[in-house]
Amino acid sequence: MGRLVLVHRDSYHDSVRLMRLSETLRALDSVADAAVVMGTPANRALLTEQGYGGPDLEGAGPNDLVVAVLGDVERTAVEAEVERLLRVVPSGDPETGVTRPASLREALDGHPEAGLVLVSVPGEHAAREARLALRRGRHVMPFSDNVSVADEVALKREALARGLLLMGPDCGTAIIDGLPLGFANAVRRGPIGIVGAAGTGIQEVASCIHRLGGGISQAIGTGGRDLSDAVGGAMTLAGIAALAADPGTRVIVVVSKPPSAVVARRVVAALAETGMPAVIQFVGDNGEHYGVGGGVAGRDTERLDRGRLGREGGSGVLPGAGGSVPRGGVRFASSLAGAAEEACRLAGIVAPPIAAPVDPARAEALARHLPPDARLCGLFCGGTTGQEALALLGRIAPDVPVRSNLHHAGPLWIDGLGPVDGHLLLDLGDDVFTRGRPHPMIEPGLRNERLAVEVERGRVGLLLFDCVLGYGAHPDPAGVLAGGVREAATTAAAAGRELVAIASVTGTPEDPQDSRRQVAELEAAGMVVEASNAAAAALAAEVLRRVAG
């Protein structure tokens, strides 16, 4: 079985097209596997690690299409099929006669009633398209990643000046008036509004709220850098103000990866000023650094200065939203599932908890399958679910170092592109992995590739995964993951080792993939499936702590 690499110069395609090309090639006779990606340095490094290295691959550039095929195939046959596939242009729906607009201007002219524009183009072009949409009076959701911080700050400043939302860049999830955008789940409408600088964080909270019997009024994504010092919480503060004015919202939830402490204090103040019940989940943080002691922020919270976007360390706020002494109560949750539980409680929704503590006997039983030198390999499609897992591993097993690209800095930070010794947790949706390559929520087979590499390196025993469902995601992510875990277990067994695989499913039974069916697929592959991402991470941490001794 041989490996073949084809390079098409100056042939850019988006992630969905790349995924479809890969799937079509994999379906060919005699093809064991295929990957169609853009020739970025990260993609070339991954393909080299998988045995596709050579002069053709080394000469590819970021705007070149790279086709890598494993199988007993003739080069001429593969070339002919790729040429045929590239000639198929998805320009519209042949049954309805509806054609795709050739430009954003054409789309806006053809749909004057549209109030929101979703931008999904290469990062270097996204700011231009988003600016055009803002100047045509539309709210904008830049789904694109790899947009510069300077462009993000400028776009958000312009959006605020025009009274519009700029949800992104790199905003993966939003639910506006019941309409799911990007990667979003099928959840019922209800009284709980979410503002999130975390796509899978919004998904996990919203899905848990749905399972608890609650519902979502709006879910406003802001982009993962919104709560940084540079951006200053511009859209988070605007989103809080929008939810406070929304008659359908009675409880507000804010979720984010670890924020700037200065900006976090502004968010606490803004929530308190609404006078509405509010819950914060800064992933991996209980709020004790923000002058509120990890409990409730109330009238005695210190006065906080909230400057305008562009001031030193400043933030973006809606016009007229000046600083004052916070009022009301702001609660901090210890997990994403815990935030959902607390929000439902504040909304008067009573349901059995889903953030149950780990059963020590269960963790001990799983640990007995693993030797003392067994490595943890956590591979996540969602950055926020990965961040929550990493935080819980550090909290429950503090003496066990875990290397990750989700660490901000320090000796445990890695980029994840090369070989890694010791315990590992990777966010495979990070920009370095998705430049010119489908996001793993669109193409979860990419996670299986990394899983196979890590298991073949040896000593991997404990596996930890998220499995994120919803619109925009792969139609059967659990099925793909289950197949990868079965292959990994076969590889480990040949080396005389066992694997313990733990996962959670973010989603609802109403999602296109049906969370119940997805859970069943994972369990059929011998995996342990927990009720929430936090529960899965906590169980893995307890197992790891016992194995490490």
Side-chain angles (χ1 to χ4, degrees):
M1 187 170 293
R3 286 177 166 82
L4 174 66
V5 174
L6 305 176
V7 177
H8 285 251
R9 303 293 178 187
D10 296 320
S11 181
Y12 181 86
H13 299 275
D14 65 25
S15 60
V16 174
R17 188 87 191 280
L18 295 175
M19 178 193 71
R20 289 173 177 165
L21 291 169
S22 299
E23 289 180 340
T24 302
L25 290 176
R26 289 192 197 106
L28 296 178
D29 292 339
S30 302
V31 172
D33 195 14
V36 182
V37 300
M38 301 308 298
T40 65
N43 290 338
R44 295 201 308 271
L46 289 170
L47 290 174
T48 299
E49 193 171 331
Q50 293 164 17
Y52 290 100
D56 288 339
L57 181 62
E58 291 169 4
N63 291 320
D64 298 334
L65 183 74
V66 177
V67 180
V69 176
L70 173 65
D72 296 322
V73 293
E74 294 290 335
R75 184 183 188 92
T76 54
V78 175
E79 287 176 338
E81 181 63 14
V82 171
E83 291 289 350
R84 185 188 71 79
L85 293 172
L86 292 177
R87 286 195 298 270
V88 178
V89 180
S91 59
D93 185 341
E95 294 185 4
T96 63
V98 176
T99 58
R100 180 178 297 176
S103 67
L104 177 58
R105 284 186 173 85
E106 184 179 320
L108 292 173
D109 290 341
H111 298 277
E113 76 286 358
L116 183 146
V117 171
L118 191 151
V119 174
S120 181
V121 297
E124 59 266 30
H125 308 300
R128 179 189 64 202
E129 301 300 310
R131 188 171 291 109
L132 170 62
L134 289 173
R135 292 176 181 177
R136 295 284 293 266
R138 267 67 165 196
H139 302 288
V140 183
M141 179 178 170
F143 190 76
S144 308
D145 56 9
N146 295 298
V147 176
S148 72
V149 174
D151 279 336
E152 179 173 350
V153 170
L155 287 168
K156 288 183 173 177
R157 179 186 293 134
E158 182 161 348
L160 290 170
R162 296 175 181 275
L164 298 168
L165 291 176
L166 190 286
M167 298 185 291
D170 204 5
C171 176
T173 302
I175 303 173
I176 305 299
D177 291 339
L179 179 67
L181 299 172
F183 300 120
N185 300 95
V187 296
R188 70 177 63 85
R189 300 295 301 276
I192 301 171
I194 304 173
V195 180
T200 49
I202 293 176
Q203 289 189 263
E204 177 77 354
V205 172
S207 296
C208 287
I209 287 172
H210 178 91
R211 287 160 49 200
L212 288 163
I216 305 301
S217 57
Q218 312 284 346
I220 301 172
T222 67
R225 297 182 304 211
D226 194 70
L227 294 184
S228 65
D229 280 326
V231 184
M235 281 302 124
T236 300
L237 296 173
I240 291 170
L243 291 179
D246 177 24
T249 300
R250 300 203 312 269
V251 177
I252 300 176
V253 178
V254 171
V255 58
S256 170
K257 295 178 186 177
S260 154
V262 173
V263 179
R265 289 189 174 94
R266 296 182 184 124
V267 171
V268 173
L271 285 169
E273 286 171 3
T274 68
M276 298 171 67
V279 183
I280 290 178
Q281 221 297 281
F282 293 147
V283 176
D285 200 324
N286 68 356
E288 62 187 8
H289 305 300
Y290 311 123
V292 295
V296 177
R299 296 178 182 275
D300 295 331
T301 305
E302 61 186 288
R303 184 181 299 269
L304 302 171
D305 173 28
R306 295 190 294 149
R308 293 274 180 187
L309 188 67
R311 286 176 51 181
E312 183 177 355
S315 70
V317 297
L318 289 178
S324 65
V325 178
R327 302 180 299 278
V330 178
R331 292 156 176 81
F332 280 81
S334 60
S335 68
L336 296 167
E341 289 183 354
E342 182 66 8
C344 285
R345 188 188 68 79
L346 292 171
I349 299 163
V350 180
I354 57 176
V358 175
D359 179 359
R362 191 178 184 213
E364 184 65 35
L366 292 172
R368 283 197 289 268
H369 291 273
L370 301 174
D373 66 343
R375 289 174 54 214
L376 164 73
C377 178
L379 299 176
F380 282 73
C381 295
T384 314
T385 46
Q387 189 79 59
E388 180 176 55
L390 185 64
L392 285 166
L393 287 163
R395 190 181 306 162
I396 295 171
D399 297 327
V400 183
V402 178
R403 291 172 170 80
S404 176
N405 59 346
L406 288 166
H407 288 299
H408 295 297
L412 294 179
W413 177 85
I414 54 171
D415 61 16
L417 294 177
V420 179
D421 293 326
H423 304 296
L424 167 71
L425 189 149
L426 284 180
D427 167 22
L428 295 177
D430 185 81
D431 287 1
V432 72
F433 294 113
T434 60
R435 191 187 294 268
R437 194 175 179 95
H439 192 283
M441 285 169 59
I442 297 174
E443 177 46 283
L446 300 175
R447 173 161 59 180
N448 289 354
E449 293 177 9
R450 184 58 183 256
L451 174 61
V453 168
E454 293 299 329
V455 172
E456 287 172 359
R457 282 185 185 142
R459 294 198 304 111
V460 168
L462 180 59
L463 305 177
L464 180 60
F465 307 103
D466 60 354
C467 183
V468 186
L469 316 182
Y471 299 102
H474 189 277
D476 186 19
V480 175
L481 176 57
V485 169
R486 286 190 178 97
E487 291 183 11
T490 300
T491 300
R497 294 181 283 117
E498 285 189 76
L499 295 180
V500 171
I502 301 172
S504 68
V505 173
T506 296
T508 73
E510 286 70 35
D511 279 327
Q513 303 88 346
D514 186 348
S515 60
R516 295 165 299 189
R517 180 172 62 84
Q518 296 288 287
V519 168
E521 287 194 62
L522 297 179
E523 291 178 337
M527 301 174 66
V528 177
V529 183
E530 292 293 276
S532 69
N533 182 69
L539 177 59
E542 288 289 358
V543 172
L544 185 62
R545 187 168 65 86
R546 285 163 171 77
V547 170

